[in-house]
Amino acid sequence: MKILKSITFKKINFKGLPHLHLPENLSRLLKKLFFAGFFTGIVIFLGALAINIYMIQYSKPYIYSDFSTLPKKYTVIVPGARVYKNNISFVVRDRLEAASTCINGGKAQKVLISGDHGTKEYDEVNRMRLYMQNIYKTAGEIIFLDHAGFSTYETMYRAKEIFCVNNAVVVTQRFHLTRSVYIAKKMGIDIVGFEAKELNPYSAKIHRSWTIRESLARVKTFFLVLFKTKPTYLGQIIPITGDSSASWDMIK
C-alpha cells in the first residue's frame, strides 16, 4: 500500500475523453503517441492529395468528351464492371454504348473487352460480348476478350503485354478515365480516353461513393505503376492484329 501511495498521478484531459488519472510517465507516452499519429495522418493525407492532383493533371490532356475531336486509334478498350446472370449493369451498358459509337464512327477498328472471368459462375467478358453482338450488331471477328482483367491496372498491363496493344481509346465513365489513361500511358500505350455518357441518372449518393473510392484507387495505382507490379495472370500472347477467336472460351 505504501508503494502505491508513493506513485505520482497526473490528471489527463484529452478533449472528448473522460478524465483519467494516469502515472506521469504514461501520460507523456500517450501524448507522444497521439501527436505522432496525428502528424502521420496529416502526411498520409497530403501525400494522397498530391498523388490525386498529379494523376488528374497528367491524364487531363488525353481525355475527350466530344466525339468529333476524338483521335482515331486502332483498338477500343472496354474495362469490365458488374454484370448479372441475364443482364448487365448500367455502368457496363454506358461503356459498351461508347465502344459501339467508336467502332461505328470509325474511331477504332478492334474491341478489347477486359473483365473478371475468374470463375465459371461469374463472367463479365462474355456477357459484355453478347450484349455488343446482340444489341449493337458488332462483328465477333473484331472482339477480343481478356478474361483476367480483374482490375483497371491488370486490364492495361495485359492489353500491352498479352494483346500487344500499341494505341487505343479507353471508354469508361468520367470518374474512371483519369486512372485508366494514367496506367496505360505509363505502360507505353499511346492512349486517349473517351467519356462514356451516363444514359441512366445515378443517385448523388452513388457518385459520392465512387469519388471516394476512386481517390483511394489512384493512390494504390500510383504505387502499382511505380513498382511495375505483375498482374495475377499473364499467359499466351494474342496480338490484337490477329485472330480474335484465340481469345474466346465459348461461342454463343
Side-chain angles (χ1 to χ4, degrees):
M1 292 294 293
K2 289 182 179 180
I3 295 175
L4 292 175
K5 288 180 181 178
S6 66
I7 297 176
T8 302
F9 289 89
K10 185 174 181 181
K11 195 176 183 181
I12 306 297
N13 183 18
F14 288 109
K15 190 175 181 181
L17 294 176
H19 294 296
L20 300 174
H21 293 281
L22 299 171
E24 187 172 357
N25 58 346
L26 182 56
S27 169
R28 288 172 181 167
L29 176 62
L30 288 176
K31 281 185 176 180
K32 287 180 180 179
L33 290 174
F34 172 79
F35 286 112
F38 176 77
F39 285 113
T40 299
I42 291 293
V43 170
I44 291 173
F45 172 78
L46 292 176
L49 181 63
I51 287 172
N52 270 268
I53 292 173
Y54 162 67
M55 200 173 290
I56 290 169
Q57 292 304 314
Y58 179 93
S59 302
K60 190 175 180 180
Y62 309 106
I63 293 175
Y64 294 79
S65 57
D66 182 358
F67 184 74
S68 65
T69 62
L70 181 69
K72 291 183 179 181
K73 301 294 179 182
Y74 187 73
T75 306
V76 55
I77 300 175
V78 191
R82 174 61 61 181
V83 298
Y84 308 102
K85 186 175 181 179
N86 297 310
N87 205 349
I88 60 174
S89 64
F90 288 119
V91 173
V92 171
R93 188 193 67 178
D94 293 347
R95 295 176 186 180
L96 294 177
E97 173 76 20
S100 175
T101 299
C102 289
I103 292 295
N104 295 335
K107 298 292 186 177
Q109 300 176 44
K110 299 289 182 71
V111 181
L112 175 59
I113 294 175
S114 180
D116 184 348
H117 187 192
T119 65
K120 277 187 176 181
E121 293 73 26
Y122 187 72
D123 181 353
E124 291 179 357
V125 291
N126 280 296
R127 178 59 53 198
M128 293 165 71
R129 171 180 67 80
L130 289 169
Y131 193 91
M132 282 204 78
Q133 288 183 279
N134 295 335
I135 303 301
Y136 302 116
K137 308 304 178 186
T138 307
E141 292 76 15
I142 70 169
I143 301 176
F144 287 71
L145 304 181
D146 176 9
H147 303 267
F150 303 124
S151 67
T152 307
Y153 178 81
E154 293 181 285
T155 288
M156 296 307 177
Y157 195 114
R158 286 174 53 81
K160 178 65 175 179
E161 298 299 325
I162 299 299
F163 295 92
C164 306
V165 173
N166 293 318
N167 67 89
V169 52
V170 57
V171 290
T172 185
Q173 283 75 13
R174 186 77 183 187
F175 74 91
H176 188 215
L177 276 175
T178 291
R179 185 159 53 101
S180 301
V181 169
Y182 177 82
I183 298 168
K185 293 290 288 184
K186 292 296 182 179
M187 293 293 171
I189 301 174
D190 175 16
I191 200 163
V192 293
F194 179 55
E195 181 181 355
K197 299 295 189 295
E198 297 175 7
L199 305 178
N200 187 68
Y202 305 108
S203 70
K205 184 177 180 180
I206 292 176
H207 272 294
R208 285 195 297 271
S209 69
W210 281 346
T211 300
I212 295 170
R213 177 182 176 277
E214 192 62 23
S215 297
L216 297 174
R218 287 174 192 148
V219 176
K220 179 182 178 181
T221 292
F222 177 82
F223 290 103
L224 289 174
V225 170
L226 181 65
F227 295 111
K228 297 180 174 61
T229 307
K230 298 287 186 183
T232 306
Y233 299 109
L234 283 172
Q236 175 189 354
I237 293 176
I238 307 172
I240 197 73
T241 54
D243 183 4
S244 68
S245 66
S247 68
W248 289 30
D249 67 325
M250 59 187 293
I251 303 213
K252 290 185 179 179

